[in-house]
Amino acid sequence: MSIIIRAARPDDIDTIIGFIRALADYERLAHEVKADRATLFNHLFGPRPMAEVLIADRNDAPVGFALFFHNFSTFEGRPGIYLEDLFVVPEARGGGAGKALLQRLARLTLERDCARLEWSVLDWNEPSIAFYRALGARPMDEWTVQRVDGEALRALARVNSCEGHPEC
């Protein structure tokens, strides 16, 4: 029952979508999933990939995934890796897949000369928080995540076309 961690391939797209939906169900956020096959495929495997995925296989069957991308620390002057999602199917939890995914991400972080590996966890998700603490993760309690999306994002993006142009 060894676990193999591998980079996702284009033919994994349906598996990745399945993991995303299962994670959303677990996090009670299924109503927020908008990802579709074509969009996700383009952003993961298209001409300009925006994120990467690792798949955890046990006995040649996918049991978990980690979706991540690079960010950048101006203070460090180096990139980092941000883990957007980590999910292991319930029947495989406790079998080492989650730890193996995080270990591979830690190695990638070092191999790519990144300064840090970061992620967010829902504050009610005590099992995951305990798991992360056991691996040496520490909370960044002084930071609060901020988000602009939907109509607020569209409103923020609107620019008066004459702003900064006295000739208008």
Side-chain angles (χ1 to χ4, degrees):
M1 295 229 298
S2 67
I3 295 167
I4 305 295
I5 304 298
R6 62 176 175 81
R9 302 177 300 258
D11 64 339
D12 289 313
I13 195 68
D14 291 326
T15 298
I16 295 166
I17 290 172
F19 284 144
I20 290 169
R21 289 184 180 135
L23 174 62
D25 285 342
Y26 175 76
E27 292 182 340
R28 304 174 205 144
L29 297 170
H31 60 282
E32 292 192 21
V33 176
K34 297 177 183 119
D36 63 58
R37 190 177 201 280
T39 302
L40 194 59
F41 188 91
N42 182 54
H43 290 300
L44 295 178
F45 304 108
R48 187 172 178 223
M50 295 292 181
E52 300 174 61
V53 174
L54 296 174
I55 302 284
D57 285 330
R58 185 174 67 191
N59 300 329
D60 296 320
V63 296
F65 87 126
L67 188 145
F68 64 98
F69 54 88
H70 286 95
N71 56 17
F72 194 85
S73 168
T74 54
F75 288 9
E76 293 282 348
R78 294 170 43 210
I81 288 182
Y82 186 83
L83 172 60
E84 178 66 24
D85 287 325
L86 176 71
F87 179 76
V88 175
V89 295
E91 56 274 15
R93 292 183 188 149
K99 183 175 182 180
L101 285 162
L102 284 170
Q103 287 173 319
R104 175 63 61 85
L105 277 173
R107 284 194 299 275
L108 283 174
T109 301
L110 296 174
E111 289 167 8
R112 295 178 183 187
D113 192 34
C114 295
R116 55 189 170 214
L117 171 60
E118 296 179 306
W119 63 91
S120 297
V121 60
L122 290 166
D123 59 6
W124 57 260
N125 192 345
E126 292 297 327
S128 293
I129 291 168
F131 171 65
Y132 299 144
R133 294 297 173 275
L135 296 177
R138 61 186 172 87
M140 303 298 293
D141 293 333
E142 65 274 15
W143 295 90
T144 302
V145 175
Q146 303 295 303
R147 177 179 295 168
V148 179
D149 62 2
E151 184 51 39
L153 178 61
R154 287 185 285 282
L156 180 60
R158 288 187 200 109
V159 177
N160 180 340
S161 59
C162 291
E163 189 175 86
H165 300 283
E167 66 275 7
C168 286

